[in-house]
Amino acid sequence: MRASRLLSVLLLLQTRGRLTAREMAAELEVSVRTVYRDLDALAEAGVPVLAERGATGGYELLAGYRTRLTGLTSDEADSLLFAGLPDAAAELGFGAVVAAAELKLLAALPAEARERALRVRELFHLDAPGWFRAAEPVPLLAEVAGAVWGRRRIRITYLRWRAPRRVVRELEPLGVVLKSGTWYVVAAACPGDGRADIADAPPAETPETPETPETAEAFEASVRVYRVARILGLEAMPETFERPERFDLAAYWEQWTARYEAGVYRGTATVRLSPEGRRMVPFRLAPAVARAVEQTAGDPDADGWVRAELPIESVRHARGDLLVLGPELEVLDPPELRAAMADAVAGLTAFYGPPANPPAC
């Protein structure tokens, strides 16, 4: 452990130049006193570490000194995919490993290439979660990822939307996906899993699957998507499984999301949108709804209003979604949605009352 940290200190000085002990301590997540001890150890080992006092002082290597001890460990090599996703790497338990791999890669680069790589990091940043959303806690993500990596079966207690809310599932986890700041695990039902619901444990969010998937079609039907934050408990089972070579995580996810979006929207609504309402649509409504507006919007009338067809999940969901546009949208059809909107507006009027000083005629 200490040898690895000493190498990290050495590579930090090689790639970053002059650093204070406090800066190195923050980078390595250790105490300043530990950094001082490591610097002394490097000096005793013959590494030419120079110290300069003063407000602009710090520690640096003798000009021209360079180590070639930059080989990646297997864990560091495995973590390289997450080098541009520090938050995701930390949630998966790869944070320190990614940092060490990045240091070694930078140290191995020529000075000009290293400078360009550091400049890219300064100029480009990826922020995966959507606006106005706090990252949801995923305490079991590292355990899920470990089971995926080790091809180990898991038994989970899962919380779903429909009754019974809690179920127990035995799964073969095939991969994890980060979608707009939310983690999902793609998994197949274990062969022979009876999927017995229990009062205090959760089921999958998609229909039940065959108990013994023996064909390619049955296997594909057994694969489901689970939201990691809603896994309440996880037990790694002793059995391992063989991940099907034909299974492509990225392709499955693309197909599943397309099916999910198509399945969510079970109806359509006809609406009128003001110019302001049309401008608000991409910011207030789902992307699929915004696309539908652009594809179906007719020519503006004399006041600039347009008529469009929107996909809706249900009358109840559509009422909540469309009320955010206020007076910039009018529902024309179906009648039950128009009535639901009118009831909501009447309720708001009754709650807030008429204006205190109505304008004179």
Side-chain angles (χ1 to χ4, degrees), residues 2 24 44 82 91 121 133 149-150 152 159 195 205 229 239 256 308 320 337 343 348:
R2 191 187 183 201
M24 285 185 279
E44 291 175 4
F82 301 100
E91 289 179 326
R121 185 170 60 182
R133 290 181 54 189
W149 187 254
R152 188 168 296 280
L159 181 66
R195 290 177 163 253
E205 296 186 318
E239 300 89 359
W256 182 85
L337 177 56
D343 288 344
L348 288 171

Side-chain angles (χ1 to χ4, degrees), residues 108-146:
L109 292 174
E112 182 180 354
R114 181 167 65 249
E115 183 179 344
R116 289 177 61 87
L118 291 171
R119 182 168 173 77
V120 168
R121 185 170 60 182
E122 292 174 354
L123 298 177
F124 298 96
H125 174 68
L126 173 64
D127 184 10
W131 283 104
F132 312 113
R133 290 181 54 189
E136 62 182 357
V138 280
L140 296 176
L141 177 60
E143 286 81 355
V144 170

Side-chain angles (χ1 to χ4, degrees), residues 36-121:
Y36 286 142
R37 287 199 298 265
D38 290 344
L39 290 170
D40 289 340
L42 288 175
E44 291 175 4
V47 176
V49 179
L50 305 181
E52 183 172 334
R53 300 182 181 278
T56 60
Y59 295 88
E60 60 184 336
L61 297 176
L62 181 68
Y65 180 84
R66 187 174 181 82
T67 179
R68 295 296 178 182
L69 298 176
T70 56
L72 294 177
T73 67
S74 59
D75 286 343
E76 290 165 353
D78 294 339
S79 72
L80 286 178
L81 178 63
F82 301 100
L85 297 166
D87 292 339
E91 289 179 326
L92 287 168
F94 286 131
V97 179
V98 169
E102 185 181 77
L103 270 177
K104 291 181 178 181
L105 286 174
L106 290 172
L109 292 174
E112 182 180 354
R114 181 167 65 249
E115 183 179 344
R116 289 177 61 87
L118 291 171
R119 182 168 173 77
V120 168
R121 185 170 60 182

Side-chain angles (χ1 to χ4, degrees), residues 24-333:
M24 285 185 279
E27 185 74 26
L28 300 173
E29 298 182 350
V30 297
S31 68
V32 174
R33 180 174 296 181
T34 297
V35 171
Y36 286 142
R37 287 199 298 265
D38 290 344
L39 290 170
D40 289 340
L42 288 175
E44 291 175 4
V47 176
V49 179
L50 305 181
E52 183 172 334
R53 300 182 181 278
T56 60
Y59 295 88
E60 60 184 336
L61 297 176
L62 181 68
Y65 180 84
R66 187 174 181 82
T67 179
R68 295 296 178 182
L69 298 176
T70 56
L72 294 177
T73 67
S74 59
D75 286 343
E76 290 165 353
D78 294 339
S79 72
L80 286 178
L81 178 63
F82 301 100
L85 297 166
D87 292 339
E91 289 179 326
L92 287 168
F94 286 131
V97 179
V98 169
E102 185 181 77
L103 270 177
K104 291 181 178 181
L105 286 174
L106 290 172
L109 292 174
E112 182 180 354
R114 181 167 65 249
E115 183 179 344
R116 289 177 61 87
L118 291 171
R119 182 168 173 77
V120 168
R121 185 170 60 182
E122 292 174 354
L123 298 177
F124 298 96
H125 174 68
L126 173 64
D127 184 10
W131 283 104
F132 312 113
R133 290 181 54 189
E136 62 182 357
V138 280
L140 296 176
L141 177 60
E143 286 81 355
V144 170
V148 170
W149 187 254
R151 299 184 179 183
R152 188 168 296 280
R153 291 177 175 173
I154 56 176
R155 181 181 292 113
I156 66 170
T157 300
Y158 188 75
L159 181 66
R160 65 178 182 179
W161 290 110
R162 65 178 184 274
R165 296 295 307 281
R166 294 169 178 249
V167 294
V168 167
R169 294 289 180 258
E170 293 186 0
L171 305 173
E172 296 179 347
L174 303 170
V176 290
V177 177
L178 177 61
K179 170 73 171 178
S180 300
T182 301
W183 287 98
Y184 298 89
V185 57
V186 178
C190 290
D193 175 20
R195 290 177 163 253
D197 293 344
I198 63 175
D200 294 324
E205 296 186 318
T206 44
E208 302 297 332
T209 58
E211 293 184 9
T212 55
E214 299 174 347
T215 66
E217 292 78 10
F219 168 78
E220 291 175 2
S222 76
V223 179
R224 291 291 179 268
V225 174
Y226 299 82
R227 191 164 175 163
V228 177
R230 291 166 64 188
I231 297 177
L232 304 180
L234 183 148
E235 175 189 352
M237 302 168 66
E239 300 89 359
T240 59
F241 65 94
E242 289 297 320
R243 191 176 188 275
E245 294 183 2
R246 66 182 180 275
F247 183 76
D248 184 320
L249 179 62
Y252 175 84
W253 182 258
E254 182 178 358
Q255 295 166 6
W256 182 85
T257 52
R259 292 197 305 269
Y260 176 76
E261 284 193 355
V264 163
Y265 298 111
R266 301 181 179 89
T268 58
T270 304
V271 302
R272 290 177 68 241
L273 286 158
S274 72
E276 179 62 20
R278 189 172 181 181
R279 283 192 293 270
M280 292 168 61
V281 163
F283 305 101
R284 299 298 183 91
L285 301 182
V289 177
R291 287 195 299 270
V293 169
E294 293 305 311
Q295 293 168 1
T296 65
D299 295 330
D301 62 17
D303 297 320
W305 287 61
V306 297
R307 188 180 178 120
E309 302 288 328
L310 307 181
I312 61 172
E313 183 174 351
S314 67
V315 169
R316 180 173 63 87
H317 285 92
R319 182 189 65 176
D321 292 341
L322 300 182
L323 279 173
V324 301
L325 297 182
E328 310 302 329
L329 176 143
E330 178 190 3
V331 172
L332 302 177
D333 196 61

